[in-house]
Amino acid sequence: MRFVIENFGCQMNDHDMEKMGSVLIDQGHLPGSMDDADIVIVNTCCIREKAEQKFYSLMGRLQHLRRKKGTILGVTGCIAQQEKESIFERLPFIDFSLGPSNIHRIAEAVENATGQVRTSAFGDDGCSPSLLIRPHNTRRGVKGYVTIMKGCNNFCSYCVVPYVRGREESRKSGDVLAEVREMAERGIVDVTLLGQNVNSYNNGNKDLSFPELLSGIDAIPGISRLRFVTSHPKDISPELIACFGTLRTLCESIHLPFQSGSDRILALMNRGYTSSEYLGKVEALKDRCPGIALTADCIVGFPGEEDGDFEATMRLMETVRFDGVFSFIYSARKSTAAAALTGRVPPAVAHERLSRFQKRQRAITLDSNRAMEGTRVEVLVEGQSKNSPDELSGRTRTGKIVNFRGDPGLVYKLVEVDIIKGYANSLRGELPDTPGR
Ligand code: 5AD
Ligand code: SF4
């Protein structure tokens, strides 16, 4: 049968989608399109209200497919986990629902559906076996992702993740290293380690710490680039900071969500740091690794956020000069502590703050891209442009997109590129006439 996986949400979800696709291919199914699919799986995210609304409107449209062609429909991921059995009341036409820790049961769920048997699983099966699925790397060429830990113990007051992804659990370092070695043998050169909170990898376990794991991966022949997401500022240790500029493969970039620049709001968010502690970590990272690219997440309109709090957020953003920030309007999530807080910010005020923030950040991002004009950087070529075959696209070690003209034979290679122009979301480059000029 042919299958399609519609995906919402984070990089963890992208990776879960690859894992499910691999399990289904191993069972003899084939990837398809919406037009010819016999099975449609919707992998969900509930971190913000918008993602949830998009999911329910998609399900409304899929119901017609089901009526017309009898398509098998399944829901996986965080909304499945959040709603548990009650999802079948709201969406009575679906065949299965699996939480994020249960996606290894995807083939069984499809098999059951062919016999009209409904499957549901929302247990916390820990690190095995959903984390142990090794996806075929069909989509991403020489880039690969490895989940090193799952869940989160931080309970930031706005966040639903600890409720839907469960408590933190780390995979054994031996398993992670074996998986990366295997990836390197298959030609993967760029590895991203995934987890809700990778800095607390193996916290309290007698196993490698996170910096030790990074060193272990750094020593694997064939790996050129190593990254990790997501980090919590309170857990960035001096040992981790020392890895930057020391480990050959560790890319000069870090995603470090700050969420707010106001200490009062950070306390209400239960983030466990103040703005000056955050800035201290940023300074230490910049000292250790000049030119490090910093990206972050930020929430505006958290309950009780006043003009002065928002100004503190603007100040923090101006001080750090991030390469990019994902910024969101707060949305109240089921079961979270913040959902019970008073002092809701009127939507018009929250929108106005968000657009001010984004406008200023766009200008800072543009400045930082322009500052790269005239430099020569290493680019991992990821593919050709759809419109013109000799137009290539790749990424710098700092995660910036570079477009340049070159031979399609360079795809998946590491090349040196001269940056000639910085734009809002990408860089324009050209291959040097004389390499090493
Ligand atoms: N409302 C708005 N943004 C949120 N995030 C998490 N929960 C919420 C929420 N309830 C944002 C945070 C987090 C990112 C993945 O999503 O900024 O870092
Ligand atoms: Fe959510 Fe906070 Fe955990 Fe990140 S650290 S997943 S924001 S609870």
Side-chain angles (χ1 to χ4, degrees):
M1 289 193 285
R2 294 209 171 258
F3 70 87
V4 164
I5 307 178
E6 281 290 314
N7 196 43
F8 292 89
C10 57
Q11 280 173 308
M12 297 285 279
N13 268 18
D14 288 345
H15 193 50
D16 285 348
M17 173 177 77
E18 286 180 335
K19 288 180 180 174
M20 288 190 281
S22 299
V23 170
L24 291 173
I25 289 168
D26 287 345
Q27 292 294 313
H29 301 293
L30 292 170
S33 66
M34 268 302 176
D35 294 329
D36 65 7
D38 312 289
I39 309 158
V40 177
I41 297 156
V42 186
N43 192 33
T44 60
C45 169
C46 58
I47 198 142
R48 289 176 296 275
E49 204 177 352
K50 240 194 204 155
E52 206 166 324
Q53 285 163 352
K54 268 200 198 151
F55 160 69
Y56 283 110
S57 79
L58 173 66
M59 292 314 287
R61 281 176 272 136
L62 290 177
Q63 189 177 5
H64 298 294
L65 263 189
R66 165 82 176 188
R67 279 210 204 101
K68 225 167 76 189
K69 304 200 298 180
T71 310
I72 292 174
L73 288 183
V75 176
T76 56
C78 293
I79 295 183
Q81 187 65 35
Q82 180 180 259
E83 298 302 316
K84 299 202 172 66
E85 297 293 340
S86 74
I87 200 156
F88 295 110
E89 286 161 33
R90 181 138 182 209
L91 306 172
F93 52 89
I94 63 173
D95 296 286
F96 58 86
S97 183
L98 304 173
S101 294
N102 309 97
I103 55 165
H104 55 286
R105 295 183 58 186
I106 190 75
E108 170 199 337
V110 166
E111 178 73 32
N112 288 345
T114 59
Q116 316 273 318
V117 175
R118 189 176 258 181
T119 311
S120 58
F122 312 108
D124 187 352
D125 293 359
C127 271
S128 57
S130 68
L131 281 184
L132 298 181
I133 304 170
R134 296 191 182 177
H136 315 305
N137 195 63
T138 46
R139 267 189 337 120
R140 306 195 206 236
V142 288
K143 283 173 89 164
Y145 292 73
V146 187
T147 316
I148 63 163
M149 52 96 65
K150 67 166 274 285
C152 182
N153 294 347
N154 284 322
F155 289 92
C156 300
S157 65
Y158 51 81
C159 184
V160 77
V161 166
Y163 304 93
V164 289
R165 295 252 176 187
R167 293 297 75 73
E168 280 175 9
E169 205 174 327
S170 299
R171 278 179 68 190
K172 289 196 183 70
S173 63
D175 290 346
V176 173
L177 290 167
E179 185 165 344
V180 178
R181 260 183 235 116
E182 193 183 274
M183 288 162 82
E185 278 158 21
R186 279 189 290 141
I188 304 278
V189 299
D190 182 318
V191 173
T192 302
L193 308 180
L194 296 176
Q196 258 81 34
N197 192 16
V198 289
N199 309 121
S200 40
Y201 175 74
N202 271 336
N203 228 352
N205 293 350
K206 278 208 196 101
D207 192 355
L208 298 187
S209 67
F210 185 55
E212 287 166 346
L213 180 75
L214 295 178
S215 299
I217 295 174
D218 189 64
I220 296 176
I223 300 300
S224 308
R225 293 180 169 196
L226 176 59
R227 310 170 197 282
F228 51 83
V229 274
T230 278
S231 296
H232 194 301
K234 76 174 164 50
D235 299 322
I236 298 280
S237 63
E239 292 77 18
L240 177 62
I241 294 172
C243 290
F244 287 95
T246 307
L247 300 181
R248 164 189 71 90
T249 57
L250 189 60
C251 288
E252 297 73 30
S253 72
I254 187 165
H255 185 68
L256 199 56
F258 64 95
Q259 313 298 5
S260 170
S262 152
D263 290 344
R264 195 176 66 82
I265 298 296
L266 284 169
L268 283 172
M269 287 177 163
N270 193 29
R271 286 292 286 175
Y273 55 86
T274 60
S275 60
S276 63
E277 282 164 349
Y278 180 90
L279 290 170
K281 303 247 167 146
V282 165
E283 208 169 300
L285 283 161
K286 285 182 172 175
D287 277 353
R288 173 78 213 176
C289 185
I292 191 169
L294 283 143
T295 55
D297 298 339
C298 162
I299 298 175
V300 301
F302 187 81
E305 183 186 79
E306 309 215 337
D307 285 344
D309 300 305
F310 175 65
E311 293 309 328
T313 295
M314 292 291 284
R315 271 201 305 279
L316 187 145
M317 169 248 254
E318 293 280 356
T319 308
V320 177
R321 296 189 67 79
F322 293 98
D323 290 81
V325 179
F326 298 103
S327 47
F328 312 101
I329 289 181
Y330 168 78
S331 65
R333 304 283 65 208
K334 224 189 258 177
S335 325
T336 61
L341 290 177
T342 54
R344 286 288 161 86
V345 174
V349 174
H351 278 100
E352 195 272 325
R353 286 179 188 163
L354 183 73
S355 74
R356 244 185 83 199
F357 181 94
Q358 291 182 335
K359 186 165 173 227
R360 186 64 197 119
Q361 180 56 49
R362 268 198 301 274
I364 294 174
T365 302
L366 178 62
D367 275 355
S368 94
N369 289 348
R370 282 191 180 147
M372 290 185 68
E373 291 172 5
T375 62
R376 182 172 291 182
V377 290
E378 180 201 89
V379 173
L380 176 60
V381 187
E382 295 182 353
Q384 290 165 264
S385 143
K386 280 189 198 88
N387 306 326
S388 82
D390 64 348
E391 184 73 18
L392 305 178
S393 183
R395 272 181 202 269
T396 64
R397 284 173 64 92
T398 52
K400 295 192 189 259
I401 296 171
V402 185
N403 299 307
F404 61 102
R405 293 179 84 78
D407 188 302
L410 293 177
V411 170
Y412 298 154
K413 301 254 164 53
L414 285 166
V415 291
E416 297 281 307
V417 176
D418 289 336
I419 301 304
I420 53 171
K421 188 97 186 109
Y423 298 107
N425 301 311
S426 66
L427 304 167
R428 180 86 216 158
E430 61 184 21
L431 289 168
D433 303 334
T434 336
R437 178 176 50 172

